[in-house]
Amino acid sequence: MVHPQTTERVLAVAEELGYTPNPLAKGLRTNKSMTIGMVISDIENPVFGPIIAGVEATVGREGYSTLIAEAIAHDPAALTPVIDALVDRRVDGMVLAMATRSGENAARLKRLGVPVVLVNRAVDDVEVASIVGDDQFGIGLSVQHLAGLGHELIGHLAGPMETSTALGRLQGYHKHMEELGLDHPDSAVESAEWYQIEPGYKAAGVLLDRRPDLTALVAANDLIALGAYRAIRERGLEVGADISVTGYNDMMLLDMIQPSLTSIRVPYREMGSEAAELLLQMMTHPDPESEPHGTKRLRPSLSARDSTQPPPA
């Protein structure tokens, strides 16, 4: 519709003036903001860095920007104002990495017509697409690794039960202990209040005082495991030599601590990328009839280090 010579002149002037397209102005024409919202449950947790990087790199290639918000509260109702703020900014879609197992907010977004994908969390009460790690398989790798070293008295430092990751890892602990014919009573399990070092320290102290016979601890994440290091040392014991410890997530620098922590490596960046790809598909080809739903689980791997050794003779 525009003469080629006119197009060339306009482009030449735009380049000379340093013009770049204004996404807000473009949005007035396309009825899109070219932004997505992302809600994470704990910005201090190193897990979310790779997830965010995977999301941003994927949507960025299509010209979208990402607005990130934190909602650390466990109550689904407390998440609503955070999500509402992003909806008010007219985000075109949303990625939720919520702390709660409730699907209330995901269902609400669907009712509002906002495409939504869950990452690192799954819910059972709403048909929504989720990309998660295979937590039962991952904890199984830890249990099998410890059993292979000769451990039979293995405890579990669980995460907060209101999160799907904690529940899946607890279920994985019981499942794989059962399959190996190892005892796994409730007395060998203690839940931390949150996925951080201090709650891990407190939970480990309670568990070790209740079950001083345990020779190994499977922690629901690396920060809980590092809290257990402190509780073990306070009791005059040595991590690895006296009590083996495994973490989960394989965050950076675990090979630099003493002893280096055995952990489960989860493909978090891939998780973020796949969640973003699903969201882009939903935003660019909206069709409620064929909208993706269900949970895709990505398999983790074991990174064995010095914190796991055979039990003391």
Side-chain angles (χ1 to χ4, degrees):
M1 297 178 64
V2 180
H3 193 281
Q5 290 181 343
T6 303
T7 300
E8 289 177 8
R9 288 199 301 272
V10 170
L11 292 176
V13 171
E15 183 176 357
E16 181 181 345
L17 295 176
Y19 169 81
T20 56
N22 186 319
L24 292 178
K26 180 181 178 182
L28 294 175
R29 177 174 56 85
T30 63
N31 200 30
K32 289 185 177 183
S33 66
M34 297 306 293
T35 60
I36 68 160
M38 184 172 184
V39 181
I40 61 176
S41 60
D42 186 357
I43 203 165
E44 293 182 354
N45 193 322
V47 160
F48 292 105
I51 294 177
I52 293 169
V55 169
E56 287 195 315
T58 301
V59 300
R61 287 196 294 269
E62 301 299 323
Y64 287 84
S65 299
T66 307
L67 297 177
I68 300 168
E70 180 188 44
I72 198 168
H74 304 169
D75 180 8
L79 301 177
T80 302
V82 177
I83 291 173
D84 284 349
L86 292 171
V87 171
D88 289 345
R89 288 176 177 269
R90 298 180 61 247
V91 294
D92 298 321
M94 206 169 295
V95 175
L96 301 182
M98 305 176 299
T100 172
R101 282 162 37 204
S102 169
E104 177 183 323
N105 281 287
R108 185 162 165 275
L109 286 170
K110 288 170 68 73
R111 290 194 299 271
L112 291 172
V114 179
V116 57
V117 177
L118 305 187
V119 63
N120 199 40
R121 293 289 185 272
V123 295
D124 299 324
D125 52 347
V126 179
E127 284 195 350
V128 59
S130 305
I131 307 294
V132 302
D134 192 333
D135 291 317
Q136 290 197 26
F137 177 82
I139 284 293
L141 293 177
S142 290
V143 171
Q144 291 162 7
H145 171 66
L146 291 167
L149 291 171
H151 292 275
E152 296 181 356
L153 299 171
I154 304 170
H156 180 45
L157 290 170
M161 283 298 109
E162 59 267 29
T163 63
S164 62
T165 48
L167 179 61
R169 291 166 197 176
L170 175 63
Q171 291 171 338
Y173 163 78
H174 285 302
K175 174 179 181 289
H176 290 279
M177 291 288 284
E178 182 75 27
E179 289 177 353
L180 291 167
L182 300 177
D183 196 23
H184 52 103
D186 290 342
S187 64
V189 177
E190 184 66 29
S191 289
E193 293 181 354
W194 192 240
Y195 285 117
Q196 289 290 344
I197 292 176
E198 189 66 20
Y201 161 70
K202 292 178 180 178
V206 171
L207 181 56
L208 291 171
D209 289 344
R210 185 171 65 233
R211 289 292 306 271
D213 58 328
L214 295 175
T215 64
L217 299 177
V218 172
N221 88 333
D222 295 330
L223 298 175
I224 291 175
L226 294 180
Y229 271 39
R230 178 176 154 201
I232 290 168
R233 287 166 177 157
E234 282 187 355
R235 285 155 180 78
L237 301 172
E238 185 179 343
V239 176
D242 296 310
I243 300 181
S244 288
V245 178
T246 67
Y248 203 104
N249 293 330
D250 204 21
M251 65 186 193
M252 291 178 61
L253 305 180
L254 292 184
D255 57 337
M256 303 295 289
I257 63 175
Q258 293 297 325
S260 55
L261 178 63
T262 293
S263 188
I264 300 301
R265 177 177 290 275
V266 182
Y268 284 116
R269 187 179 180 104
E270 181 183 349
M271 198 183 293
S273 296
E274 293 209 16
E277 290 285 3
L278 278 178
L279 188 64
L280 286 170
Q281 175 186 333
M282 295 163 66
M283 292 189 302
T284 54
H285 300 92
D287 182 1
E289 296 298 321
S290 61
E291 183 176 290
H293 58 82
T295 301
K296 180 176 181 179
R297 302 183 188 278
L298 306 185
R299 286 208 160 180
S301 58
L302 176 76
S303 297
R305 300 188 179 94
D306 297 335
S307 68
T308 49
Q309 301 174 28

